[in-house]
Amino acid sequence: VSSQTGMADKHVDPLPLHGDVATTRAHILATLQAMGGNTVEFSGEDYVYAVFVTPLLRFRDDVEFYIDAPAGVVHFRSASRVGYSDLGANRRR
């Protein structure tokens, strides 16, 4: 799923900004930590990249957040690296 895709079946709405960019990034990082099962691979000023590992089969799913301050939103993408179906895991995430 992605907030920036043109494919209707994969599209999700972007998230709202929580204060300024630094506060929003801190909120994203705190949420990822609270969710568990992931490793933050990169955290820049307006971009966060994390990898989730599924508990049972150890599949790796990529999750990216782009903080678009001028638009007041956070775009995100959550995608499985392998397979055709994730049984809805990325949309729930």
Side-chain angles (χ1 to χ4, degrees), residues 8-84:
D9 63 326
K10 304 285 186 209
H11 182 77
V12 291
D13 291 332
L15 303 169
L17 224 63
H18 288 280
D20 61 11
V21 172
T23 302
T24 299
R25 184 180 61 249
H27 184 74
I28 291 168
L29 293 171
T31 301
L32 288 168
Q33 183 176 14
M35 290 177 75
N38 69 80
T39 302
V40 175
E41 299 288 331
F42 179 81
S43 176
E45 183 178 336
D46 61 357
Y47 177 77
V48 175
Y49 168 61
V51 177
F52 278 80
V53 178
T54 62
L56 183 60
L57 297 176
R58 313 298 295 164
F59 291 128
R60 297 169 60 84
D61 296 342
D62 297 309
V63 179
E64 298 176 279
F65 299 89
Y66 166 59
I67 303 167
D68 185 353
V73 297
V74 177
H75 290 288
F76 68 96
R77 179 183 80 90
S78 182
S80 301
R81 289 186 183 178
V82 297
Y84 294 102

